[in-house]
Amino acid sequence: MLGNVAKMLGSSGLCVTQSVLLQSSRNTFVLKRRFPPNLYKKNQKPGKLRGRHFVYDLVEDTTIKKKPNLEVVLTAFVEGVGSKGDVVSLKPNEAYNKLLLPGLAVYKTPENVAKYATEKDEKETEVHSSAYAQRTVNKLESLILAVVMNKDHPWVIEPWHIKLSLRKAGYYVPDSAITLPDTPITGPDLLKQNKEFYCTVTINNLEQARVRCRIHHWSTEPSDRLPYVFEHWKLDAEPLFGEASPAKA
């Protein structure tokens, strides 16, 4: 009868498909019998299992178990991770997708550790002081630094002014690492309000970041303060020296 039904469906142009999706899943569950069966002697027929013998307690579920970090050896410099030959420990997914698949790392073995510790890549001429130096450069160069100066008393911008402004933005930089433009910047001068200039920040005596700075005048007297500009860092600004000129290191 089923064969006749199939022939009728086939003759009418209908297609019979299987609606059940069968997909394998690699899961491991560690179980323990709540009521262990009695032991039996050698050459003795095992006793019949009762219903209580099929009651299990869950000991471990490997699907929710945290996997240990994976150690790999870097084959090239990776920003924020390390330099060539470094052994780093990362989460398995991160190590596999970001390092192993692109070919930026290999699995940690004694052979790979010895190979990349002594091998010198002649094509790699870029030198980095640390794994996070380039990331710091990118962060600083994407920053628009507000340099707040007094509106009532004369001043000349010095490295410590930039240091305090960077500290407010969450960056701790020594005075010796800050280089200002050759032309002194003096004030107060409302014509320089919200105008932009560059200063150079040196990281680990090697990398350099050009930081965009904008002058803002501030008065201790509320009545003398300039009107507040909402999200002023999103507005276009004119260069202070006629054109954007980088600071000399």
Side-chain angles (χ1 to χ4, degrees), residues 9-27:
L9 292 175
S11 61
S12 61
L14 298 177
C15 180
V16 180
T17 59
Q18 186 177 3
S19 60
V20 179
L21 176 62
L22 300 179
Q23 185 174 0
S24 61
S25 178
R26 300 179 61 181
N27 300 322

Side-chain angles (χ1 to χ4, degrees), residues 25-89:
S25 178
R26 300 179 61 181
N27 300 322
T28 302
F29 299 92
V30 181
L31 305 177
K32 180 182 179 181
R33 292 184 189 270
R34 182 174 297 179
F35 305 100
N38 296 328
L39 300 178
Y40 56 92
K41 297 181 180 179
K42 187 177 181 180
N43 299 327
Q44 182 182 1
K45 184 178 180 180
K48 185 178 180 180
L49 297 180
R50 305 295 181 180
R52 65 177 182 275
H53 296 140
F54 296 95
V55 179
Y56 300 93
D57 292 327
L58 179 63
V59 177
E60 182 181 357
D61 182 2
T62 58
T63 58
I64 60 175
K65 181 180 179 181
K66 184 178 179 180
K67 297 181 180 179
N69 285 359
L70 182 63
E71 290 188 336
V72 295
V73 183
L74 298 180
T75 60
F77 172 79
V78 180
E79 179 184 337
V81 180
S83 302
K84 180 179 180 179
D86 292 347
V87 179
V88 296
S89 177

Side-chain angles (χ1 to χ4, degrees), residues 24 29 41 91 110 127 130 152 179 184 218 223 228 235:
S24 61
F29 299 92
K41 297 181 180 179
K91 294 181 179 179
V127 180
S130 71
D152 304 320
T179 305
W218 176 264
S223 59
Y228 176 74
L235 303 177

Side-chain angles (χ1 to χ4, degrees), residues 50-201:
R50 305 295 181 180
R52 65 177 182 275
H53 296 140
F54 296 95
V55 179
Y56 300 93
D57 292 327
L58 179 63
V59 177
E60 182 181 357
D61 182 2
T62 58
T63 58
I64 60 175
K65 181 180 179 181
K66 184 178 179 180
K67 297 181 180 179
N69 285 359
L70 182 63
E71 290 188 336
V72 295
V73 183
L74 298 180
T75 60
F77 172 79
V78 180
E79 179 184 337
V81 180
S83 302
K84 180 179 180 179
D86 292 347
V87 179
V88 296
S89 177
L90 300 173
K91 294 181 179 179
N93 289 340
E94 184 178 358
Y96 185 75
N97 295 326
K98 295 184 178 180
L99 298 179
L100 293 174
L101 279 183
L104 299 175
V106 293
Y107 288 102
K108 179 188 175 183
T109 61
E111 294 79 10
N112 288 335
V113 172
K115 175 182 177 181
Y116 291 99
T118 57
E119 180 180 328
K120 294 183 179 180
D121 191 357
E122 297 179 356
K123 297 181 181 179
E124 187 176 358
T125 58
E126 189 175 3
V127 180
H128 302 273
S129 60
S130 71
Y132 300 95
Q134 187 59 40
R135 179 181 296 182
T136 306
V137 171
N138 297 339
K139 285 287 187 179
L140 289 174
E141 291 187 345
S142 64
L143 175 70
I144 298 180
L145 186 65
V147 182
V148 181
M149 305 302 295
N150 197 293
K151 182 175 175 289
D152 304 320
H153 302 282
W155 45 261
V156 178
I157 291 184
E158 299 180 7
W160 66 269
H161 292 104
I162 307 299
K163 173 184 176 180
L164 294 179
S165 300
L166 286 170
R167 184 182 298 176
K168 291 180 181 179
Y171 299 91
Y172 294 87
V173 181
D175 295 348
S176 58
I178 300 173
T179 305
L180 295 175
D182 292 337
T183 305
I185 304 174
T186 60
D189 186 356
L190 295 183
L191 296 178
K192 299 178 181 179
Q193 173 69 16
N194 203 37
K195 288 194 174 181
E196 192 171 282
F197 67 94
Y198 283 89
C199 70
T200 302
V201 175

